[in-house]
């Protein structure tokens, strides 16, 4: 199951993370930015540096 650790509110929390674009594949360790959040614990992300 895909996951991401998000730094938020002075700490870090775990979220289920999916690529914002269905054609993207984000490898483990890639720095990402959150594009959308779906409560309670799902985020859609994109690679920050286009990797």
């Amino acid at each position: 199951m895909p996951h991401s650790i998000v730094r938020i509110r002075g700490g870090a929390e775990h979220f289920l993370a999916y690529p914002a674009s269905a054609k993207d594949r984000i490898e483990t360790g890639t720095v990402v930015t959150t594009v959308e959040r779906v409560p309670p614990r799902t985020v859609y992300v994109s690679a920050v540096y286009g990797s």
Side-chain angles (χ1 to χ4, degrees), residues 11-30:
E13 298 182 21
H14 289 258
F15 289 81
L16 295 177
Y18 298 98
S21 174
K23 65 181 178 179
D24 289 345
R25 179 175 170 85
I26 299 176
E27 299 296 329
T28 300
T30 302

Side-chain angles (χ1 to χ4, degrees), residues 26-51:
I26 299 176
E27 299 296 329
T28 300
T30 302
V31 177
V32 297
T33 187
T34 300
V35 174
E36 182 179 356
R37 178 179 174 264
V38 180
R41 298 299 242 181
T42 301
V43 291
Y44 290 90
V45 300
S46 289
V48 173
Y49 302 111
S51 31

